[in-house]
Amino acid sequence: MSSALTLPQAWLARCRERPAQVAMRHKRRGIWQPFAWSEYLASARAIGLALDRLGLVPGDVVTVVSESRPEWLFVDMAAQSMGFVSHAVYPTCSGRRIGSHLALAGTRVAFVEDAEQAAKLLASAERLPRLARVVAFEERGLRELDDPRVIGLGAFMAQDETSTDPLFEQRIAAGQGGDIGFLVGTAGSTGAPRIAAFTQATALRQAAEMRSALGVADGDRILCFVPLANAAERMLASVLPLLSDCLVHFPESPATVGNDLREVEPHWVHAPPRFWEKLQARTESAALRSAPGAQRLYRRSVEGQSAGWLQRAARWQVRRTLGLSRVRQVFSGGAAASASLARWYQGIGVPMVDLYESAETCGPCPLLPSTSRVSQDGELQVKPAALMAGYWRDGGLQPAPLTADGWLHTGDLALREPAGGWRVVGRIADSFATASGARVAPGAMEAALQASAFIAGAMLVGAQRGHCACLVSLEEESVLTYAQSRGIPFTDYGNLVQRPEVQALVQSEIDRLNASLAEGHRIRRFGLLPRALSVHDEEMTPALRIHRRLAERRFSEQIEALYSA
């Protein structure tokens, strides 16, 4: 593939080669709706010409704030085809954080999922003087916003749905491999978020590397439910289908992913560790509710104690129930995952790959001897196939943080695995020293706790303190099932976390971790948060891990209580 080729040029060729072939499916009102490549082209063309009518010029930024859905792809390709720069923000971000991302990007037009997202964005309007239009995919409730900049997608693109204006195809033909195609925001888990910019040629090179490494085949199914603001998900669901005949499926909503996973039975699934932890937790909860004999069979099957036909059948049944009976691999990325999580999936016959991915590397970056190394202070440094052009700030580029010999500073802490290779154990900025001088990298310890079916989030503290302590957010569904199965009385969630039986349950999980830790790293006290954190809480990162800096401020009283007499 020529390095001068652009994503829109590869996409237009695909649309013209297979106009009637289904490019994607989206579940709406319980029915999977197909979209052909010709529909993909017509929708993107109409959006692109409508953007041009607003007066945008090449290099202007178009932002999408939405869950993954076909319209996201339509807007993304429309913007890049016209020479604009495509940018996406996680829809779970708060209005304040969305405003920060759009201000940093210099957004001219924002596409949002619905009126709720539009309202979040408009709350930061005073910080966005360049914002000319807000376009909502879903039109319900827009009138209540009473803002002339807000319009529904249908009305926005109506004037150009049947246009014969050749401008769209002309802009695609004029594209160059060195043009900035899209922007990817960093997680911002240890500070203010930044935005990585990628050229067209870099994105296509990354997709080609992924196709070769994974062995993606024609006819493969992909279920896309991670927000496409994630670089790895963007490559898997948006760019790979331009190179292979794989079929992308979009679930009806985040709440239906479990059912949609079972219906699609995809070959490839990518998600953060928290998704895989929750899937495991739900399976463990279901096992707790089953008869004693079924519980024993389940336990022997997933722990690999027997290879008999009954255990094999039980493992297949678990995979089928989860919707993972076809998968070649599942990918856990965006945060450190525990070794026990991968062992559990391996136990049911699902190969799990713990991806190293970042915004700066346009998603996955294999930690091979030729592409990765660790400095003397423990920092992972990489030479990715797809390196960002630089950090974007309102149309300008700041250089990538490279070493003198051209390796990318990641800011991640890594350790050598016994079998070879590197294991990322957290961010260097998150590590701390206790009063005794013990140096603690909390990422791996937190990941080990979060692999528990009962723990949704964990945050270690202890900088300059006498010992390590931990704040814990419980996995609500699993703990409720545990309490009900043991007849533990409670009135609500806040009351449940105070029950001694639940405190003892969490202590047992911490004891299990402590048994593998050196003395100075062991967790001496813990506190349970009075509410379960969700993806919509500011205290959670896009990778569904606790946002350390924000949590330290929000829960300062609870942290101090862990060190009181």
Side-chain angles (χ1 to χ4, degrees), residues 268-338:
W268 309 97
V269 186
H270 166 262
R274 188 72 206 117
F275 172 81
W276 301 113
E277 291 161 1
K278 286 178 71 69
L279 209 58
Q280 177 193 8
R282 289 173 182 170
T283 307
E284 296 279 345
S285 279
L288 281 175
R289 295 193 296 268
S290 63
Q295 288 189 40
R296 288 192 295 272
L297 174 60
Y298 164 78
R299 190 59 57 197
R300 288 198 299 270
S301 300
V302 300
E303 292 177 357
Q305 294 178 9
S306 173
W309 70 267
L310 188 59
Q311 285 71 33
R312 290 196 301 272
R315 287 191 285 271
W316 180 86
Q317 181 62 34
V318 172
R319 294 197 301 273
R320 190 184 69 83
T321 301
L322 296 177
L324 302 177
S325 59
R326 292 179 191 261
V327 292
R328 296 198 185 94
Q329 284 181 328
V330 299
F331 306 107
S332 175
S338 70

Side-chain angles (χ1 to χ4, degrees), residues 472-506:
V472 174
S473 172
L474 295 180
E475 180 61 63
E476 187 171 4
E477 181 181 345
S478 296
V479 175
L480 289 176
T481 299
Y482 177 84
Q484 291 163 356
S485 67
R486 283 160 175 75
I488 300 171
F490 63 94
T491 55
D492 55 22
Y493 180 82
N495 173 256
L496 179 61
V497 299
Q498 299 176 36
R499 295 291 306 179
E501 298 93 338
V502 172
Q503 297 275 333
L505 174 65
V506 176

Side-chain angles (χ1 to χ4, degrees), residues 180 183 195-199 388-400:
I180 298 297
L183 310 176
I195 300 176
F198 290 92
T199 66
M388 67 176 181
Y391 288 116
W392 177 278
R393 189 179 184 88
D394 198 13
L397 287 177
Q398 299 171 344

